[in-house]
């Protein structure tokens, strides 16, 4: 996370931390395989109309949040390197340095333009991922829909003055782009 803490299932803070990175192709392949297995098994039944993804911290389909009040996640080597490669940037720190996640998080967050580009990049990548899942689902059972159930813990005290739309976007969901697909 942004504080340099390596989050695992054993030390994750409930409703705060994500322990997987769905922008990583390995995680995406596993998610896609799970969706395909469930859809394939359920497709023959008339009652099967689609799959809903529950997106809250700790679920494999949810991107680690950059939303206020949440642990700032997704500053791992793969994601930061992919972001920087796409935007032709050079992040601080190198693989193996213990403080690189924290340094990279501060570097991204310190520059408003870089921060905006980071949020936009993540949301675009997650939109592509969700759209690919929806397309795969529809190929297995025509007409089946992919639903996205968002949990943002809006009622938490640390979120009282937070714009919920900004918080949703910071967690990797571009609702406008998803509504077009």
């Amino acid at each position: 996370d942004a504080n340099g803490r390596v989050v695992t299932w054993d030390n994750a803070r409930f409703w705060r931390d994500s322990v997987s990175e769905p922008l990583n192709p390995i995680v995406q392949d596993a998610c896609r395989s799970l969706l395909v297995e469930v859809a394939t098994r359920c497709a023959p039944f008339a009652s099967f109309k689609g799959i809903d993804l529950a997106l809250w911290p700790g679920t494999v389909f949810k991107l680690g949040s950059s939303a206020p009040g949440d642990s700032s996640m997704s500053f791992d080597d793969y994601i930061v390197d992919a972001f920087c490669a796409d935007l032709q940037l050079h992040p601080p720190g190198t693989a193996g340095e213990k403080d690189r996640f924290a340094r990279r998080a501060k570097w991204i967050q310190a520059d408003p333009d870089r921060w905006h580009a980071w949020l936009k990049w993540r949301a675009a990548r997650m939109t592509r991922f969700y759209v690919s899942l929806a397309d795969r689902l529809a190929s297995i059972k025509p007409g089946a829909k992919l639903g996205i159930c968002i949990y943002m813990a809006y009622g938490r005290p640390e979120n009282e003055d937070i714009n919920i739309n900004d918080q949703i976007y910071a967690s990797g969901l571009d609702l406008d782009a998803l509504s077009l697909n």
Side-chain angles (χ1 to χ4, degrees), residues 53 66 108 135 149 166 168:
L53 303 179
S66 290
I108 289 170
D135 290 346
C149 303
D166 291 344
I168 289 169

Side-chain angles (χ1 to χ4, degrees), residues 4-42:
R5 184 174 63 99
V6 177
V7 179
T8 67
W9 287 110
D10 295 331
N11 72 0
R13 292 170 294 181
F14 189 64
W15 293 117
R16 300 270 184 172
D17 297 330
S18 292
V19 295
S20 62
E21 179 57 72
L23 287 177
N24 188 304
I26 295 168
V27 176
Q28 287 188 358
D29 289 346
C31 291
R32 193 172 292 104
S33 293
L34 177 61
L35 180 127
V36 166
E37 179 181 351
V38 170
T40 302
R41 289 177 183 228
C42 295

